[in-house]
Amino acid sequence: MNLQDIPSLAPTQFELPLPTRTPGESFKEPAADGFLLGGFTWRHTHQDPTRPVVIINAATSVRCRHYSRFADYLFANGFDVITYDYRGIGESRPASLKGLEATWSDWGALDFEAMLQRAQRVFAGQPINVVGHSFGGCAAGLGASGHLIRRLVTVGAQFAYWRDYAPAHRWRMFAKWHVVMPLMTTLCGYFPGKRLGWLEDTPAGVVRDWSTPSDRYEKRPSGRLIHARTGRLPFANVSAQTLAISLSDDPYGTIPAIERLLGYLTGSTNTHLRITPEDIGEEEVGHFAFFRSAYQATLWPIALSWLQTGELAPDTPGRRMPRN
């Protein structure tokens, strides 16, 4: 079977564009289990204990290089920045993904936690902020040191419960991510996303988490393990000022999907900002485009303002969603 011969599931406007240019200084950081993670650091020459450092958590199977221009922007506006790849992706990919033990919970509890520890060590005493895209917002709640996060900005953040997908796209997305993806993973031992032109190649354990059709994170295969070990999910450790940004034309980041994840952040003060493309003079934005430099003047200042002050500017586009 030729992986390209799936016409009804070919890439769409919601897929990832090509990676951006090579970013700042590279590093290697071991997670607690010894797995070596790769990433990049934007660091000002003179250390300032009042300068925040921002950790950027990528979406599932999206390379950290996709966020390089956004990292440049944050650096130019006075932040130190860390971007990194989860195990199995990009700078953190081993020679083969077959047999690699990697799950969504590993990406949060081990990989993101390693970045929190790195931020504490390399940027000692500086406040720690986090930006999480898609699953990256979920990963921000899985680190044991989540209490260190001062401010959190999420973009389209959810954990892929299929009933939360936008109705107009739901069945196509279900077939793609919950039927074809696990099938291809079973055949290949990992998900060959690059050959399909969908996303990066993805470890089998992550695919199991993504494709399990459950509305509760702790019912996902690796989520159950975290819950059993600790007696509770670690989301409650996060007490950050949290801004959840969602786009009305994002078929993943629907209102129910965003609110479902925010429901886990019980220790945080949460604001959900819903933006339509028309609010910023665009026809479409979708799930991935927020971090493209085309939105530097319209969308990026929203995240910047929150990271700087924990507040939205009076002229911020979009509307605040009421909290339950």
Side-chain angles (χ1 to χ4, degrees):
M1 179 179 181
N2 190 326
L3 298 183
Q4 300 295 341
D5 295 336
I6 312 177
S8 63
L9 296 174
T12 72
Q13 61 177 320
F14 307 117
E15 304 308 336
L16 179 69
L18 293 175
T20 59
R21 62 186 176 82
T22 302
E25 181 182 354
S26 64
F27 68 82
K28 294 292 184 181
E29 180 76 20
D33 64 346
F35 193 97
L36 202 60
L37 303 167
F40 300 92
T41 301
W42 284 252
R43 184 176 186 178
H44 288 81
T45 304
H46 302 291
Q47 189 167 6
D48 181 350
T50 67
R51 180 192 302 121
V53 53
V54 178
I55 302 170
I56 299 178
N57 286 350
T60 296
S61 303
V62 175
R63 296 187 68 164
C64 68
R65 292 171 183 261
H66 177 61
Y67 306 92
S68 297
R69 290 194 175 99
F70 184 68
D72 283 338
Y73 172 79
L74 294 180
F75 180 76
N77 280 279
F79 293 90
D80 294 317
V81 186
I82 295 172
T83 68
Y84 70 103
D85 281 312
Y86 308 120
R87 62 187 63 202
I89 307 298
E91 308 300 317
S92 304
R93 176 172 177 155
S96 174
L97 290 186
K98 291 183 178 180
L100 174 66
E101 295 295 327
T103 66
W104 263 351
S105 290
D106 290 335
W107 283 2
L110 294 173
D111 300 352
F112 172 60
E113 175 66 18
M115 294 305 117
L116 286 172
Q117 297 297 325
R118 178 178 178 82
Q120 276 197 298
R121 186 181 72 253
V122 176
F123 301 97
Q126 296 178 221
I128 299 174
N129 295 343
V130 175
V131 173
H133 180 206
S134 194
F135 172 75
C138 186
L142 296 176
S145 301
H147 62 280
L148 297 173
I149 305 172
R150 182 183 65 165
R151 293 180 186 134
L152 170 63
V153 174
T154 68
V155 178
Q158 32 66 49
F159 52 88
Y161 176 46
W162 70 275
R163 290 185 184 274
D164 289 341
Y165 295 154
H169 305 277
R170 182 175 298 150
W171 293 111
R172 177 190 173 278
M173 293 169 66
F174 183 87
K176 181 174 183 175
W177 300 121
H178 301 269
V179 178
V180 174
M181 182 171 64
L183 174 61
M184 293 299 177
T185 301
T186 299
L187 293 173
C188 300
Y190 66 97
F191 177 57
K194 293 186 73 171
R195 293 173 62 188
L196 285 167
W198 291 359
L199 292 172
E200 293 293 310
D201 295 343
T202 306
V206 171
V207 172
R208 285 193 296 272
D209 281 332
W210 185 344
S211 59
T212 298
S214 174
D215 63 342
R216 300 290 297 174
Y217 183 80
E218 61 268 34
K219 293 182 179 178
R220 302 298 170 104
S222 67
R224 287 195 293 267
L225 295 176
I226 280 188
H227 191 49
R229 273 202 310 269
T230 64
R232 66 172 187 167
L233 287 168
F235 292 94
N237 294 336
V238 179
S239 58
Q241 295 172 295
T242 299
L243 173 64
I245 299 172
S246 66
L247 283 301
S248 65
D249 66 332
D250 176 358
Y252 301 91
T254 61
I255 292 173
I258 302 300
E259 293 294 328
R260 191 177 303 282
L261 179 57
L262 286 178
Y264 282 91
L265 296 172
T266 56
S268 300
T269 55
N270 302 326
T271 299
H272 179 182
L273 180 68
R274 186 76 171 170
I275 302 172
T276 69
E278 292 78 13
D279 290 333
I280 58 170
E282 300 286 347
E283 294 184 0
E284 60 180 0
V285 179
H287 189 61
F288 291 108
F290 183 99
F291 295 96
R292 296 178 186 168
S293 56
Y295 298 99
Q296 179 171 333
T298 53
L299 293 177
W300 292 5
I302 301 171
L304 177 66
S305 176
W306 191 269
L307 293 170
Q308 290 174 329
T309 68
E311 297 179 353
L312 294 172
D315 59 347
T316 299
R319 66 188 180 100
R320 296 187 186 214
M321 300 300 295
R323 305 294 306 145
N324 294 330

